[in-house]
Amino acid sequence: MKKTLNILIILSLNLFISCGEDTVDLVGLGTITGRVVEVNNFNPIENAKVTLSPTSNTVFTDADGYFIMQDVEAGEYSVSAKKEGFLTKFEAATVTADLEVNVIFEMEIETALNRPPTTPELVTPESGAIDQELSVELIWTSTDPEGDPITYRVEIQNDYNNDIVRVENLTDTTYVVSNLRYGTKYFWQVAATDNINAEVLSTVSNFTTKSDPDNRYFYVQKDVSTGNNVIFSINYNESTGDPENTVQLTTNNQNSWRPRKNQASNLIAFLRTANNETHLFTMNQNGSNIQQVTAAVPITGFDLNEIDFAWSSNGDRLIYPHYDKLYVINKDGSGLQQIYQTADGSYITECDWSNDGSMIALKTNDITGYNVSIFTIDMSGNILTTVLSGVTGAAGGLNISVDNKLLLFTYDISGYESPDNRQLDTHIFVYEFLTTLVTDVSVNKPAGTNDLDPRFSPNEADIIFVNTSNDGISEKTIYKVDLASGNIITPLFSNAAMPDWE
């Protein structure tokens, strides 16, 4: 009887202990909710993978970035959010039975911790360098901490105008900048980017090109891309027979032509289109300090490519035509005054002013460009000498010798006239005022060509001029001819027109 009772007590105790262990293990279930957004703008991130650790429970966010994990046992967890293009984010979560815990993930883009390149260091030329050539190699250094590819942008400015040269998408740390101007200070800066972070800018460095080479020749060349005339200066090496030190004086985006250098003022006067008119401008020999001279009365008449003007010998004034009138103006734009008007209303197309200021040579023509006359007047407007009149065909190219003894001019001896003013056989002539003798300088000119725009050399032993085919579209070449013999003809510059030699 006692043994049976002991067995029952033991069985009851085991049952009680077993029931007690089941009650301790059941800790309860809770819920994790949350949202995944971008860190700065809080835009929702869809399809982000949210994982619960140490379990492997995983859910994905909806279109609004929300997620929910249900029936999560109460306890401490680490919750992660992953999405391609973003840095993985971890948050702690404590789950309590029958309660909901909310977790917010603010995710950063994958490159958020990426560092930008180092500030570019400008190596060559050293800042403040002088006497640089007209082509300069710019050298700089920069590195990227993560080894990301770096692209560079170089900006170059100068101290004579507002032009900015930008060179982008460079992968090398060198760049050669060419076609610089003499005697000009340049400023340059480099920007580096890894295409992840914002650009990093270097300091600004500067260098100065060598002084002007004192070029003595000037000419005009037509820019192919813009169609504008561009003025250049150049020298000619008599020993080697080669052009040298070519300098572009005016920009391609403005139409500039007919350069005329004055030694006394050391300025170059030229024509330029401004506000749909043609005006006189001046500039320094290196093309800097461009100043407009005329304003109220522009230069105009028959064929702006034929129109010419002239300096006074001391460089304080200029004369220029306006239809049938001739004006004089100070080089600073003041003192505008009409000094001559044609009696028959013919247009003044070309003019030249004698070295002593006593005489002006004029070429006039009618509205078609023909019925030409070449004559000289004194400063009171009285006609002194008639050189050419009563002929058919085109003429021009006036230049008075320094001693007032000779006058250069051109004339199309074919006498041809056409609506497009084509010239067929234009020669250069020298007129002697004392004897009225006229000498043909173009006796050796190739057939089918024209000699145009003659100018005396500084010592007046030679003449420079343009020779080109009479088709009106072929390339123009500047030549030099010995005035005494007329036989020694030297080609100087190709693809060039409107020469001046001072």
Side-chain angles (χ1 to χ4, degrees):
M1 189 68 182
K2 288 182 180 179
K3 290 182 179 180
T4 303
L5 179 61
N6 288 339
I7 293 172
L8 290 174
I9 292 172
I10 292 171
L11 290 174
S12 298
L13 181 61
N14 288 337
L15 180 60
F16 175 80
I17 292 173
S18 176
C19 292
E21 286 178 349
D22 290 343
T23 303
V24 171
D25 288 341
L26 188 59
V27 295
L29 302 175
T31 301
I32 299 176
T33 62
R35 195 181 190 203
V36 181
V37 296
E38 295 181 28
V39 66
N40 292 320
N41 53 32
F42 304 109
N43 289 331
I45 299 176
E46 184 179 6
N47 287 327
K49 182 180 180 181
V50 181
T51 303
L52 190 64
S53 180
T55 74
S56 57
N57 292 350
T58 298
V59 295
F60 291 87
T61 57
D62 63 17
D64 296 317
Y66 290 105
F67 69 91
I68 184 170
M69 288 182 171
Q70 296 177 322
D71 297 330
V72 179
E73 291 186 5
E76 301 290 334
Y77 295 93
S78 174
V79 189
S80 65
K82 295 182 180 180
K83 180 67 184 286
E84 185 177 354
F86 293 88
L87 294 174
T88 300
K89 187 77 173 179
F90 295 89
E91 295 289 346
T94 300
V95 178
T96 304
D98 300 325
L99 294 178
E100 181 180 292
V101 59
N102 189 258
V103 180
I104 301 297
F105 292 94
E106 296 180 6
M107 300 185 72
E108 296 179 306
I109 60 173
E110 195 171 35
T111 57
L113 301 180
N114 186 281
R115 291 168 292 175
T118 60
T119 301
E121 179 183 352
L122 308 187
V123 179
T124 302
E126 294 183 1
S127 189
I130 60 175
D131 294 329
Q132 300 297 295
E133 298 294 334
L134 300 190
S135 288
V136 174
E137 184 179 23
L138 307 177
I139 302 176
W140 62 92
T141 62
S142 179
T143 58
D144 188 87
E146 283 78 29
D148 297 322
I150 306 175
T151 56
Y152 301 98
R153 175 173 55 86
V154 179
E155 286 196 0
I156 307 165
Q157 302 185 52
N158 58 70
D159 65 352
Y160 70 90
N161 62 24
N162 296 321
D163 289 350
I164 300 176
V165 176
R166 291 186 181 89
V167 185
E168 306 198 41
N169 299 320
L170 294 173
T171 55
D172 292 331
T173 55
T174 65
Y175 178 75
V176 177
V177 54
S178 303
N179 299 319
L180 302 177
R181 302 165 67 101
Y182 284 101
T184 301
K185 190 172 187 178
Y186 288 87
F187 305 87
W188 64 292
Q189 185 177 36
V190 175
T193 180
D194 56 5
N195 296 307
I196 297 172
N197 298 278
E199 284 186 335
V200 181
L201 292 175
S202 72
T203 59
V204 177
S205 185
N206 70 82
F207 62 89
T208 303
T209 52
K210 61 173 60 176
S211 300
D212 296 343
D214 196 25
N215 287 342
R216 303 190 68 182
Y217 294 90
F218 305 88
Y219 67 88
V220 167
Q221 190 174 82
K222 188 172 290 292
D223 181 68
V224 176
S225 60
T226 64
N228 289 329
N229 292 306
V230 181
I231 298 174
F232 292 82
S233 72
I234 196 170
N235 270 337
Y236 182 79
N237 190 316
E238 295 286 349
S239 301
T240 63
D242 296 319
E244 59 185 15
N245 295 332
T246 304
V247 180
Q248 182 175 330
L249 301 180
T250 59
T251 60
N252 300 33
N253 58 8
Q254 289 182 290
N255 192 28
S256 308
W257 70 102
R258 195 66 67 182
R260 292 284 180 252
K261 171 73 180 298
N262 178 264
Q263 294 291 76
S265 65
N266 202 32
L267 292 175
I268 301 168
F270 62 99
L271 302 181
R272 169 172 285 181
T273 304
N275 297 321
N276 297 318
E277 294 179 333
T278 299
H279 286 281
L280 266 172
F281 287 76
T282 61
M283 61 181 169
N284 293 336
Q285 183 155 321
N286 64 2
S288 64
N289 192 32
I290 293 178
Q291 301 291 327
Q292 184 171 337
V293 179
T294 56
V297 180
I299 295 177
T300 190
F302 168 79
D303 196 343
L304 293 172
N305 287 317
E306 300 292 333
I307 284 181
D308 204 351
F309 59 92
W311 281 98
S312 62
S313 60
N314 64 4
D316 64 343
R317 292 174 295 167
L318 296 116
I319 57 173
Y320 70 93
H322 177 86
Y323 292 122
D324 61 340
K325 302 178 181 64
L326 186 69
Y327 286 88
V328 63
I329 191 170
N330 295 331
K331 67 180 180 183
D332 64 0
S334 65
L336 178 66
Q337 181 182 356
Q338 179 184 321
I339 58 174
Y340 182 73
Q341 183 173 11
T342 60
D344 58 359
S346 58
Y347 290 172
I348 301 172
T349 301
E350 297 184 37
C351 59
D352 195 30
W353 204 347
S354 66
N355 187 65
D356 64 2
S358 65
M359 178 175 64
I360 294 174
L362 298 174
K363 188 209 89 169
T364 63
N365 49 259
D366 61 22
I367 195 171
T368 68
Y370 297 117
N371 192 25
V372 298
S373 292
I374 295 176
F375 56 96
T376 60
I377 61 173
D378 62 22
M379 298 311 295
S380 297
N382 301 307
I383 295 179
L384 300 175
T385 304
T386 299
V387 177
L388 186 70
S389 66
V391 295
T392 58
L398 306 185
N399 193 205
I400 304 171
S401 65
V402 67
D403 58 6
N404 291 9
K405 292 182 178 180
L406 305 175
L407 175 69
L408 280 177
F409 70 95
T410 62
Y411 173 58
D412 183 358
I413 63 173
S414 73
Y416 180 72
E417 295 185 354
S418 67
D420 62 357
N421 296 104
R422 178 181 176 181
Q423 300 179 42
L424 295 183
D425 193 11
T426 299
H427 288 225
I428 299 171
F429 295 90
V430 177
Y431 178 87
E432 296 183 29
F433 287 105
L434 182 61
T435 64
T436 70
L437 178 67
V438 178
T439 303
D440 188 345
V441 180
S442 300
V443 290
N444 296 315
K445 178 180 68 64
T449 67
N450 294 317
D451 286 346
L452 306 166
D453 285 333
R455 304 290 292 178
F456 283 113
S457 65
N459 64 7
E460 302 199 346
D462 302 303
I463 296 172
I464 59 170
F465 63 96
V466 172
N467 178 264
T468 185
S469 169
N470 66 16
D471 61 13
I473 58 174
S474 294
E475 181 178 283
K476 297 177 173 63
T477 302
I478 296 176
Y479 289 85
K480 178 180 70 172
V481 60
D482 177 78
L483 183 58
S485 66
N487 293 322
I488 304 175
I489 302 176
T490 305
L492 300 179
F493 317 116
S494 60
N495 191 24
M498 301 184 188
D500 194 39
W501 185 7
E502 298 298 332

